[in-house]
Amino acid sequence: MPTIMFTRAAASSADTLMISAVLDEDNDEAIYQPAARVFQYEHGNQPGDQWFASDFELSVQDITVIE
């Protein structure tokens, strides 16, 4: 059964947290596969609208915020 493995995290501000993850599927090499899900938490949003997720066809090596 696939599980989510969290790979990177960064606080981009006092109110925003970014976390990247991959499906583990009992495979230690999964973090190098070109498939990632990035979760974003926005503390200032209303409850129920604080978490977002986006899927990317890439391997996340680092999280950087550019404004």
Side-chain angles (χ1 to χ4, degrees), residues 23-63:
L23 285 180
D24 184 6
E25 299 194 34
D26 299 323
N27 178 1
D28 290 338
E29 299 295 315
I31 61 171
Y32 304 110
Q33 300 302 315
R37 176 166 289 173
V38 176
F39 297 91
Q40 180 174 338
Y41 175 77
E42 294 289 343
H43 182 71
N45 289 0
Q46 295 294 318
D49 292 328
Q50 294 175 310
W51 283 100
F52 303 91
S54 300
D55 291 331
F56 297 95
E57 292 184 20
L58 50 78
S59 175
V60 175
Q61 299 302 310
D62 198 2
I63 297 178

